[in-house]
Amino acid sequence: MNEPIFFDSWAGLARTVVVGIAAYGLLIAMLRASGKRTLSKMNAFDFVVTVALGSTLATVLLNRSVPLAEGVAALALLICLQYVITWLAVRVPAVQALVKSEPTLLLHDGCFLDQALKRQRVTRDEVLAALRQSGMDDPAGARSVVLETDGSLSVIPR
């Protein structure tokens, strides 16, 4: 339990820098090769993959017991799994239903849909804020407000 708090060794710092540069470069190359979708925040599934990539990169950088090759293999595995799942989701409706949610109507013709608000855990104040951001001060000015699959609120004016 005599581990240093502020500084261990120059070798440890050098390892972090070298592994960090290599892992970061390889991660960027793999992300570029896998396409734009890998880091999109289109739904909860995509968000989880993004967080997992960040966590894996941090582990590779800071955990001396994880060699760079194993860390890069873990990153590549996450990216490949993301690619396979999204490829299948575009082609197989059952897979799409598993990984994607549907947009939810929260306000229609100026009327709040209270059941949908409760189910999605969205307050009226959040909907009103989205309306204000769209330049509307009255819900009656909106045809609808939709909670999108990425968590954003879309306002459709009359």
Side-chain angles (χ1 to χ4, degrees), residues 19-94:
V19 169
I21 291 169
Y24 182 77
L26 290 166
L27 177 60
I28 296 300
M30 287 186 287
L31 291 173
R32 295 283 296 168
S34 67
K36 295 175 186 172
R37 175 65 194 265
T38 303
L39 280 184
S40 67
K41 290 192 173 109
M42 298 178 76
N43 56 49
F45 175 75
D46 296 321
F47 178 72
V48 167
V49 171
T50 302
V51 171
L53 286 169
S55 176
T56 303
L57 181 62
T59 300
V60 171
L61 287 174
L62 300 175
N63 190 338
R64 293 179 186 176
S65 66
V66 178
L68 177 61
E70 289 178 14
V72 169
L75 292 168
L77 176 64
L78 287 170
I79 291 169
C80 287
L81 289 172
Q82 168 76 347
Y83 183 87
V84 168
I85 294 295
T86 54
W87 186 89
L88 286 171
V90 172
R91 290 161 180 81
V92 180

Side-chain angles (χ1 to χ4, degrees), residues 7 27 35 39 48 51-52 70-71 78 97 99 104 106 112 120-121 128 143 147 158:
F7 182 78
L27 177 60
L39 280 184
V48 167
V51 171
E70 289 178 14
L78 287 170
V99 298
T104 303
L106 301 176
F112 287 95
Q120 298 301 324
R121 298 178 320 276
L128 291 171
R143 178 175 312 279
L147 177 63
R158 287 193 180 275

Side-chain angles (χ1 to χ4, degrees), residues 102-122:
E102 291 292 319
T104 303
L105 190 62
L106 301 176
L107 181 130
H108 184 66
D109 288 333
C111 297
F112 287 95
L113 303 176
D114 290 319
Q115 292 293 67
L117 288 167
K118 286 179 187 174
R119 195 171 51 253
Q120 298 301 324
R121 298 178 320 276
V122 176

